[in-house]
Amino acid sequence: MRLRNIPAAADAIANSKYCILNYTEHKGHWHEIFGSNHPIAMEIGMGKGRFLMDLAALHPDINYIGVERYGSVLYRALQKMDENPLPNVRFLCINAEILPEIFEAGELDQIYLNFSDPWPKDRHAKRRLTSREFLARYDQILKKDGHLEFKTDNRPLFDFSLEEVKEAGWNLDAYTYDLHHDDKMNQGNIMTEYEEKFSSIGNPICKMIISREKR
Ligand code: SAH
């Protein structure tokens, strides 16, 4: 997702108390940002943040960090926070590549990836958020028994991701090629903006849950 450059976005991000700018200073101390020891969950590539904020409203005992690389997109999330502030939500305007520089080993309890950019060209495979390179980054920051959940309507990206999960030695705990018709996996499902858009034109939604705890 990339929106037209919005001049107000840079200002809003610089001045929002929800957007953490001096992020490298909090490595190992993210709990202090929230003022609680509650678990920390992260959505990487959160877009306008609807999924993250719906989840945060439902789970006040979990702290949420939304990561989005484009300020013009994150700006929409900041506008929503102004209308309906959530004390357990913060945002980072960064490229997810640098996450291991910002979080200590095991500092995150849960990671969500929703409708990540497919980067269809082979030579861009490393940029896919489910590539082995990114799984290695998550391995550094996700606690040992933490889980990662990934949803997409893009079947080639999903199939690629299944291969990468195997290659990286993660466990495939559950998966479906049609989430909305899978009663078990769809229970309590929170729709993302892209999920609503793509399922409304008939695309089935794929989902996987992965972890690396030894079984
Ligand atoms: N999760 C939302 C948006 C999906 S679009 C939804 O399901 O509705 C994917 C988003 O991920 C885009 O907004 C894009 O800017 C962001 N993104 C892609 N690669 C990223 C990266 N490396 N770091 C941070 N954000 C990224």
Side-chain angles (χ1 to χ4, degrees):
M1 188 186 299
R2 197 163 188 179
L3 300 174
R4 196 166 44 84
N5 188 40
I6 304 167
D11 264 3
I13 288 169
N15 295 315
S16 170
K17 61 180 179 199
Y18 298 110
C19 195
I20 309 298
L21 301 176
N22 55 349
Y23 37 77
T24 47
E25 291 167 23
H26 301 291
K27 192 173 184 175
H29 308 283
W30 280 91
H31 286 297
E32 291 168 12
I33 291 275
F34 294 99
S36 79
N37 272 328
H38 295 160
I40 301 179
M42 170 178 284
E43 184 185 5
I44 303 175
M46 60 147 201
K48 298 177 192 166
R50 176 177 133 184
F51 168 86
L52 188 87
M53 288 188 254
D54 284 353
L55 209 54
L58 278 174
H59 302 285
D61 291 347
I62 299 177
N63 292 324
Y64 291 88
I65 299 177
V67 172
E68 170 53 52
R69 74 198 297 187
Y70 292 121
S72 55
V73 181
L74 178 60
Y75 180 49
R76 304 304 171 100
L78 293 179
Q79 288 175 316
K80 281 190 228 167
M81 278 289 267
D82 280 341
E83 285 161 28
N84 184 19
L86 292 160
N88 55 334
V89 172
R90 294 293 183 278
F91 302 114
L92 287 173
C93 193
I94 56 160
N95 184 328
E97 273 176 16
I98 67 166
L99 283 169
E101 295 162 36
I102 300 179
F103 289 87
E104 200 53 80
E107 205 166 9
L108 296 181
D109 293 81
Q110 170 87 21
I111 294 176
Y112 297 98
L113 301 173
N114 293 315
F115 298 81
S116 309
D117 297 348
W119 293 106
K121 292 192 179 121
D122 280 349
R123 68 188 159 88
H124 290 149
K126 283 183 186 169
R127 298 186 190 175
R128 298 175 194 149
L129 291 181
T130 50
S131 63
R132 65 196 69 183
E133 289 82 4
F134 269 99
L135 290 174
R137 295 183 179 110
Y138 309 146
D139 186 42
Q140 290 181 56
I141 57 177
L142 182 64
K143 79 172 191 206
K144 275 199 172 57
D145 58 353
H147 290 80
L148 182 152
E149 300 192 11
F150 170 50
K151 293 195 277 191
T152 183
D153 68 319
N154 186 308
R155 185 62 188 267
L157 177 64
F158 193 72
D159 289 340
F160 164 84
S161 307
L162 287 170
E163 286 296 317
E164 296 295 279
V165 163
K166 208 188 323 167
E167 185 63 38
W170 288 55
N171 307 316
L172 183 59
D173 298 321
Y175 71 103
T176 174
Y177 295 111
D178 192 356
L179 176 64
H180 297 172
H181 294 102
D182 182 316
D183 287 348
K184 197 165 167 223
M185 286 193 77
N186 199 39
Q187 226 171 27
N189 183 48
I190 307 268
M191 293 259 254
T192 81
E193 264 143 1
Y194 274 46
E195 183 171 357
E196 195 154 279
K197 186 162 112 188
F198 292 126
S199 61
S200 75
I201 56 167
N203 295 5
I205 307 300
C206 303
K207 176 172 179 174
M208 65 170 74
I209 303 176
I210 62 171
S211 67
R212 63 245 196 275
E213 202 178 10
K214 290 280 164 288
R215 286 186 290 202

